């Protein structure tokens, strides 16, 4: 039986400003972030940036059990177009899968970066595109063999960033998707059209709203993602330009049974907010917005 919608709503540490990028902003403690997630009644969390959670599976289980949270999986950069990086990519994926198996996580959220350092992507050659499809299929098979789902995350500053990139992957291989409403919208994708066209391949959802008037400067590289986030690119759900209610309603009415992750990228650029204020308030607003959705 399908679980109720709100019981499948989780979040991610980036919604509390947790990011490994130098200069991103002030970082809250792991205990505070997890405590605030639990206070909001969220069901689980993604792994977050390296260092946010322990690397030992037993320690991860212990800290999440303390806060009654489930580990869903996590964002996993992969280099899939470059044959030179294939072995390194598969080694990293294998290591991540082993961690997820031991912690009960099920979602490998793979994002196809151009380089491990997140260098600006350039147009791929036909051979690189073919290799990308091949490696995505290999990752999907490795995940499936271990009871994990590989869901491709379209993302700014990766090789699956724009509408044409997304269409190329949709047509070129069978990988499932993490429908990230924010990154897809920034890339020029109509998320409702995407949801309808690729419904059977949507395995995970990141709910993110966007002030699209601030998006072009990031898309054309005059601003970094970090600068865009610090300037308010991503908004509380319902306060941007993404049709969140329509998306959720369509997915639920058509039988989607996966997770919804409030992934509200933010950065703490001033003083650390007092306990009970700051990110918890913003995520709370987004959660209230989702609770307002009337589903048939």
């Amino acid at each position: 039986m399908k679980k109720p919608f709100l019981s499948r709503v989780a979040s991610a540490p980036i919604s509390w400003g947790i990011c490994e990028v130098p200069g991103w902003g002030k970082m809250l403690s792991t205990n505070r972030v997890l405590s605030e997630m639990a206070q909001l009644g969220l069901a689980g969390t993604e792994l977050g940036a390296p260092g946010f959670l322990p690397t030992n599976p037993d320690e991860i289980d212990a800290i999440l059990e303390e806060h009654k949270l489930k580990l869903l999986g996590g964002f996993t950069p992969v280099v899939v177009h470059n044959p030179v990086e294939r072995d390194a990519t598969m080694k990293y994926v294998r290591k991540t899968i082993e961690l997820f198996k031991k912690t009960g996580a099920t979602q490998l959220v793979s994002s196809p970066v151009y380089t491990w350092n997140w260098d600006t992507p350039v147009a791929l050659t036909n051979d690189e595109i073919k290799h990308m499809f091949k490696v995505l299929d290999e990752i999907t098979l490795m995940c499936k063999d271990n009871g994990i789902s590989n869901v491709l995350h379209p993302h700014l500053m990766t090789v699956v960033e724009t509408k044409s990139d997304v269409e190329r992957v949709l047509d070129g291989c069978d990988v499932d998707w993490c429908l990230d409403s924010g990154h897809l919208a920034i890339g020029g994708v109509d998320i409702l059209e995407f949801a309808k066209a690729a419904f059977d391949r949507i395995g995970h959802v990141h709910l993110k709203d966007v002030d699209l008037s601030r998006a072009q400067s990031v898309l054309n590289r005059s601003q970094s993602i970090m600068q865009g986030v610090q300037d308010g690119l991503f908004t509380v759900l319902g306060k941007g330009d993404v049709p969140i209610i329509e998306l959720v309603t369509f997915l639920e009415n058509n039988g989607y049974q996966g997770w919804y992750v409030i992934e509200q990228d933010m950065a703490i650029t001033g003083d650390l907010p007092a306990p009970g204020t700051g990110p918890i308030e913003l995520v709370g607003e987004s959660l209230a917005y989702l609770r307002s959705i009337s589903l048939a």
Side-chain angles (χ1 to χ4, degrees):
M1 180 179 293
K2 180 178 173 182
K3 293 182 179 178
F5 161 58
L6 289 172
S7 73
R8 293 179 282 120
V9 175
S11 193
I14 190 65
S15 298
W16 272 257
I18 304 299
C19 182
E20 69 270 33
V21 176
W24 185 270
K26 301 285 181 63
M27 297 292 154
L28 299 173
S29 71
T30 299
N31 187 64
R32 173 171 170 177
V33 173
L34 297 179
S35 293
E36 292 186 349
M37 286 183 180
Q39 287 175 46
L40 290 171
L42 294 163
T45 180
E46 290 191 0
L47 188 65
F52 176 71
L53 288 176
T55 56
N56 182 287
D58 291 338
E59 292 177 6
I60 292 175
D61 287 345
I63 193 170
L64 292 183
E65 173 60 28
E66 179 183 347
H67 298 282
K68 306 302 180 188
L69 292 167
K70 175 181 175 60
L71 184 66
L72 314 185
F75 186 84
T76 308
V78 291
V79 181
V80 292
H81 69 284
N82 186 348
V84 173
E85 299 294 347
R86 180 199 169 277
D87 288 348
T89 291
M90 298 309 290
K91 180 179 180 180
Y92 180 47
V93 167
R94 190 175 297 108
K95 180 179 178 181
T96 304
I97 287 172
E98 288 305 312
L99 176 67
F100 287 173
K101 283 175 62 179
K102 292 175 182 177
T103 55
T106 58
Q107 304 295 320
L108 188 132
V109 185
S110 57
S111 193
V113 294
Y114 190 67
T115 69
W116 297 112
N117 293 325
W118 283 77
D119 290 328
T120 302
V122 300
L124 301 184
T125 67
N126 287 336
D127 285 344
E128 287 175 328
I129 292 168
K130 291 177 183 177
H131 189 75
M132 172 173 68
F133 295 158
K134 177 184 176 183
V135 176
L136 285 174
D137 285 342
E138 289 178 357
I139 293 172
T140 296
L141 180 59
M142 183 185 292
C143 285
K144 184 178 180 180
D145 287 345
N146 287 277
I148 306 290
S149 297
N150 175 35
V151 286
L152 182 68
H153 188 327
H155 200 288
L156 283 165
M157 286 288 288
T158 72
V159 299
V160 184
E161 176 183 47
T162 65
K163 181 179 180 180
S164 60
D165 295 334
V166 169
E167 290 173 345
R168 179 167 63 194
V169 176
L170 275 173
D171 294 339
C173 69
D174 296 326
V175 67
D176 284 345
W177 290 77
C178 169
L179 190 166
D180 186 294
S181 58
H183 284 283
L184 283 170
I186 292 171
V189 175
D190 182 313
I191 64 167
L192 293 176
E193 288 184 2
F194 177 89
K196 293 171 184 177
F199 178 78
D200 291 341
R201 293 169 62 179
I202 297 170
H204 198 53
V205 175
H206 282 176
L207 292 177
K208 189 186 273 96
D209 211 341
V210 181
D211 179 351
L212 288 176
S213 70
R214 299 178 181 271
Q216 191 58 43
S217 59
V218 178
L219 199 58
N220 67 20
R221 318 302 187 207
S222 60
Q223 265 194 329
S224 68
I225 298 175
M226 179 180 75
Q227 291 167 333
V229 170
Q230 292 174 343
D231 285 349
L233 173 63
F234 299 112
T235 73
V236 167
L237 297 183
K239 292 189 175 181
D241 299 305
V242 179
I244 299 294
I245 288 179
E246 292 88 342
L247 174 65
V248 170
T249 301
F250 171 79
L251 292 173
E252 287 300 293
N253 286 345
N254 284 276
Y256 174 72
Q257 300 187 47
W259 289 100
Y260 294 91
V261 178
I262 300 174
E263 201 198 35
Q264 190 173 302
D265 294 17
M266 65 93 64
I268 301 172
T269 53
D271 295 334
L272 288 177
T277 67
I280 187 175
E281 295 174 302
L282 299 177
V283 178
E285 284 186 49
S286 290
L287 191 54
Y289 182 73
L290 295 180
R291 285 174 175 151
S292 76
I293 299 175
S294 178
L295 297 169

